[in-house]
Amino acid sequence: MAKKKQVYKRKPNAYVKKKPYVEQRKPNAPVKVEALADVIYYTDGMTVFDFAEALHRPVAEIIKKLMFMKILASQTQTLDRETVELLTMEYGLELKDEVKTDMTKFEELTIEDDPNSLVERPAVVTIMGHVDHGKTTLLDTIRHSRITAGEAGGITQHIGAYQVSRNGKSITFIDTPGHAAFTEMRARGAKITDIVILVVAADDGVMPQTKEALDHAKAAKSNIIVAVNKMDKVGANPDRVKQELADLNLLAEDWGGSVPFCQISALKGTGVTELLDTIQLVAEMMELKANPARLAAGSVIEAKLDKGKGPVATLLVSNGTLRVGDAFVVGTTYGKIRAMSDDLGRTMTEAKPSTAVVVYGLNDVPMAGDAFMVFADEKQSREIAFKRSDRQIREEKGVNKSMSLEDFFKKAEGTEKVLRLIIKADTQGSIEAFKGAIDKIKVEGTSIDIVRSGVGAITDTDVSLAEASNAIIIGFDVRPQASVRDTATSKGVEIRLYDIIYEALEDIEKAMKGMLDPVFEKKTIGEASVRETFTISKVGTIAGCMVTSGIIKRDSLIKIIRDGIVIHEGKMSSLKRFKDDVKEVKTGYDCGIMVEAYNDIKVDDVIEASELQEVKENA
Ligand code: GDP
């Protein structure tokens, strides 16, 4: 019995013991917190359930807490930031706002790699300079040296970039046609080149485009190496080039500055290896590094729509390693890399930092300068691409709204009319050529505004943009799908398709002329000769006339010509046949004409009638 009693005693004992313990813990809330995080992150639209989950507490407990705060809430109810903050404080925690990385703006993100994972990467080089100073020749010589060096015997294809190897290290050359492409890429945020080679012909010196190239290179914060070219030519004067560049604040190393000058002959190949060595020296000093272990990111060098292979793009990997099978976002489109090749057409399975590769497997054609980034899978890539495309449409619409307003004011002042165009073509080259040619069309009182230009088929996005900005869509060697055509028709958007640039230009010029306010020209419509005159007091002089040619109309403008001299210009105050007012009198008929505010009309005077007629220029 005694034993039993003991057991019985323990039970309430234990119960009693536990109770005050629980009682103690309740007011002392932070004790419960040991399993929780130090901070709670507030997210937009956070519900009671979300909060409970973040806190690792039962939903019922949170609802109860809210009731104490006189808030009746269900678990799906969203909480405002203030309430969440109060709740968080109840638990002795700190509420923070979650800083979310917006992956849709990936080009704005700075990639910071662990210094231990960084390895040296090749320099990316662009050759710039005045036309005819030897840029193409230099590129060809460098490329040729590589091929003869036995790297491969394949036929090189133009992919906008290629790599050469020197002293066991690579250099990547970007071959963008002209400075415009370079600027455009830069304008679109692409920081592609590390080093700019400024080619200046030793026999010609600094020319306008040399200065332009220099400005671009400086603005892009690229390191500059000057290649004084055509040293083989009689009259080559490298010191003059040095002096002229010094005047532009580009001081040669041997003149106490920091810019390496290399004297070369791109044609003969002399000095080219030294130039490559200099590039590597500069690159070494720049300590160019990247992390090949991360997912790739970089920019589009070139892109086009291949009739057989679909959208094709040359990508420059700036960081990470790009692999076949990678899902990626580029510009406002996405893809999964189906295949990759280099400029010799060799199949590649991966591309390391500073390598340019041609990739297949895109869903649409991106634009040169577009940024790309590899994501975990195709689904995520697609979502990000859609968001980016959406934003672009909104932004473009926004931009064009304000532009239209401006144009509206312009119109109100009666100064200028704007023809807006959206240009789509199969290659960037056609677009550049077309843009260049359009610049030369000058029709007074009008201007052209290229709302968007891009490589690829005409899409619904183009049509929406055209509708929003009142633009005409011009397509070169690209065709819209039937559905896109239908949308355009229903929205009243004009799509014009061409195969030849010249034809498009002609039409545009016509359109621009047609856009002008009609021009009126005075056209003579008839003549009458004065046979006799009658003067009626209080009325004036009436000229009795015979219409000798054409027609005389009541509202015609008239000239009175006497002995071949125009002695009066004005209007009629009446035109009669016998006693009746008439609207017009034809050749061979008599009529009576009174001239407004003019009575000095004489026999044999000629009355020439004219009217304003609209002139259709180039009609
Ligand atoms: P780009 O317009 O700058 O690309 O110039 P090109 O490379 O097309 O060269 C223009 C002209 O200069 C061509 O006729 C070349 O053969 C010639 N040229 C280029 N480099 C040299 C050189 O080092 N020496 C000589 N004599 N002619 C050159």
Side-chain angles (χ1 to χ4, degrees):
M1 281 298 281
K3 255 187 187 176
K4 255 187 188 173
K5 258 182 193 170
Q6 232 181 346
V7 174
Y8 179 69
K9 258 189 180 174
R10 275 180 73 195
K11 263 191 179 170
N13 221 3
Y15 177 71
V16 170
K17 235 185 181 180
K18 204 177 179 183
K19 206 168 184 184
Y21 178 58
V22 174
E23 289 273 315
Q24 258 179 10
R25 278 178 69 194
K26 253 195 182 165
N28 194 6
V31 174
K32 289 176 180 174
V33 166
E34 69 224 342
L36 303 183
D38 297 336
V39 284
I40 295 289
Y41 286 103
Y42 173 74
T43 49
D44 228 11
M46 198 172 210
T47 62
V48 173
F49 180 84
D50 295 338
F51 181 74
E53 204 171 44
L55 204 67
H56 302 298
R57 298 305 308 165
V59 177
E61 185 180 306
I62 307 299
I63 293 178
K64 219 189 255 173
K65 283 252 186 245
L66 283 165
M67 264 154 65
F68 279 122
M69 291 161 65
K70 298 202 167 56
I71 298 170
L72 267 181
S74 69
Q75 63 168 332
T76 52
Q77 184 126 355
T78 53
L79 299 168
D80 58 23
R81 199 185 182 287
E82 205 181 329
T83 313
V84 176
E85 189 158 18
L86 285 173
L87 276 174
T88 317
M89 277 157 64
E90 278 279 301
Y91 286 92
L93 290 176
E94 190 190 348
L95 181 70
K96 284 190 176 168
D97 288 290
E98 194 172 9
V99 184
K100 271 196 179 163
T101 311
D102 184 359
M103 287 316 281
T104 65
K105 293 184 178 173
F106 58 79
E107 55 267 78
E108 290 169 16
L109 303 176
T110 322
I111 296 175
E112 261 183 34
D113 284 300
D114 171 8
N116 294 327
S117 48
L118 290 175
V119 299
E120 206 182 326
R121 65 165 175 87
V124 180
V125 181
T126 311
I127 299 181
M128 297 177 94
H130 193 71
V131 66
D132 277 349
H133 279 198
K135 298 181 294 288
T136 316
T137 312
L138 178 59
L139 266 169
D140 284 350
T141 305
I142 294 171
R143 181 187 291 202
H144 190 68
S145 70
R146 171 188 70 163
I147 293 162
T148 47
E151 259 212 39
I155 302 164
T156 57
Q157 49 180 353
H158 178 86
I159 70 161
Y162 62 88
Q163 251 183 8
V164 295
S165 190
R166 169 106 188 113
N167 306 325
K169 282 185 185 174
S170 298
I171 304 170
T172 303
F173 285 89
I174 303 294
D175 181 9
T176 52
H179 304 165
F182 183 86
T183 330
E184 196 166 313
M185 281 195 199
R186 218 165 44 71
R188 313 197 55 242
K191 164 84 177 95
I192 291 179
T193 34
D194 303 308
I195 300 169
V196 166
I197 309 251
L198 186 63
V199 175
V200 189
D203 62 335
D204 205 18
V206 169
M207 298 306 275
Q209 279 171 288
T210 317
K211 287 183 193 160
E212 187 190 294
L214 187 57
D215 291 341
H216 286 321
K218 279 185 175 168
K221 296 196 171 64
S222 305
N223 279 36
I224 299 168
I225 297 173
V226 176
V228 183
N229 190 31
K230 306 200 184 182
M231 283 303 292
D232 58 294
K233 272 192 143 177
V234 201
N237 187 351
D239 278 346
R240 192 182 113 204
V241 175
K242 262 185 203 165
Q243 183 56 58
E244 285 171 346
L245 285 173
D247 294 344
L248 297 171
N249 287 326
L250 201 72
L251 206 58
E253 274 173 338
D254 55 342
W255 283 19
S258 61
V259 183
F261 274 57
C262 295
Q263 298 186 4
I264 62 163
S265 165
L267 194 68
K268 301 233 152 74
T270 32
V272 174
T273 43
E274 287 80 358
L275 175 65
L276 294 178
D277 288 343
T278 308
I279 293 172
Q280 284 187 330
L281 223 75
V282 171
E284 244 164 61
M285 286 193 302
M286 290 175 84
E287 293 187 3
L288 304 166
K289 286 186 172 152
N291 175 11
R294 68 158 47 253
L295 294 178
S299 324
V300 178
I301 303 285
E302 273 188 1
K304 63 173 185 190
L305 190 64
D306 187 287
K307 289 200 169 81
K309 293 171 182 151
V312 181
T314 302
L315 304 182
L316 177 75
V317 180
S318 56
N319 202 356
T321 300
L322 187 66
R323 293 190 175 84
V324 170
D326 277 351
F328 66 115
V329 179
V330 52
T332 54
T333 186
Y334 69 103
K336 188 172 176 154
I337 297 182
R338 212 170 56 220
M340 297 200 289
S341 64
D342 67 3
D343 68 309
L344 295 170
R346 295 177 297 197
T347 306
M348 293 169 79
T349 51
E350 58 170 44
K352 294 239 177 316
S354 294
T355 313
V357 273
V358 183
V359 301
Y360 304 92
L362 277 153
N363 285 290
D364 204 347
V365 185
M367 280 164 74
D370 273 345
F372 82 84
M373 189 175 253
V374 173
F375 288 92
D377 53 44
E378 210 172 350
K379 184 170 163 273
Q380 193 190 4
S381 300
R382 186 173 54 231
E383 278 167 9
I384 290 172
F386 281 162
K387 279 189 192 147
R388 285 166 66 91
S389 156
D390 239 31
R391 190 173 56 220
Q392 192 192 47
I393 294 170
R394 277 202 308 275
E395 281 170 5
E396 281 176 343
K397 274 188 181 169
V399 164
N400 285 301
K401 237 181 223 154
S402 57
M403 266 169 35
S404 321
L405 203 63
E406 209 183 288
D407 296 336
F408 173 73
F409 284 130
K410 271 191 198 163
K411 262 187 199 163
E413 286 163 16
T415 47
E416 193 159 81
K417 292 192 171 179
V418 182
L419 176 65
R420 292 196 186 77
L421 300 176
I422 291 176
I423 305 165
K424 295 305 284 280
D426 60 340
T427 63
Q428 192 66 32
S430 309
I431 292 176
E432 297 301 333
F434 184 63
K435 277 187 182 169
I438 271 185
D439 276 348
K440 295 197 185 94
I441 301 181
K442 294 272 180 284
V443 176
E444 214 180 311
T446 67
S447 67
I448 291 180
D449 174 21
I450 298 172
V451 180
R452 173 196 277 175
S453 65
V455 177
I458 297 166
T459 61
D460 277 331
T461 316
D462 297 325
V463 175
S464 329
L465 181 59
E467 188 196 18
S469 53
N470 237 333
I472 296 171
I473 301 176
I474 306 270
F476 287 108
D477 276 331
V478 288
R479 299 283 178 265
Q481 282 178 350
S483 64
V484 175
R485 211 186 278 259
D486 290 347
T487 320
T489 315
S490 70
K491 289 184 172 176
V493 169
E494 187 177 358
I495 300 181
R496 287 175 161 267
L497 304 170
Y498 299 92
D499 300 322
I500 302 165
I501 288 184
Y502 154 77
E503 281 176 358
L505 290 174
E506 236 182 35
D507 279 4
I508 285 173
E509 197 168 348
K510 269 189 206 161
M512 288 172 82
K513 285 178 173 162
M515 282 165 62
L516 292 171
D517 286 323
V519 175
F520 290 99
E521 199 173 273
K522 243 193 217 175
K523 279 244 167 82
T524 305
I525 54 169
E527 267 181 15
S529 101
V530 180
R531 297 285 158 89
E532 50 190 326
T533 59
F534 315 91
T535 304
I536 298 170
S537 61
K538 286 186 189 153
V539 178
T541 307
I542 301 167
C545 307
M546 158 72 77
V547 179
T548 52
S549 72
I551 191 170
I552 305 286
K553 291 183 181 172
R554 168 66 181 85
D555 53 5
S556 304
L557 299 166
I558 54 158
K559 278 182 191 165
I560 300 172
I561 301 161
R562 185 173 299 160
D563 301 324
I565 299 162
V566 178
I567 54 162
H568 178 77
E569 281 187 70
K571 286 177 174 173
M572 288 178 241
S573 55
S574 82
L575 175 66
K576 288 184 189 237
R577 283 246 327 123
F578 305 107
K579 293 219 168 342
D580 302 326
D581 285 304
V582 289
K583 279 195 170 159
E584 54 180 50
V585 182
K586 291 193 178 117
T587 314
Y589 290 94
D590 289 327
C591 61
I593 294 174
M594 279 187 75
V595 181
E596 202 175 83
Y598 188 82
N599 290 315
D600 188 26
I601 195 158
K602 296 209 159 71
V603 172
D604 288 336
D605 284 350
V606 172
I607 298 177
E608 187 190 276
S610 59
E611 64 181 12
L612 290 175
Q613 284 179 359
E614 196 180 316
V615 187
K616 280 243 172 13
E617 283 183 57
N618 214 5

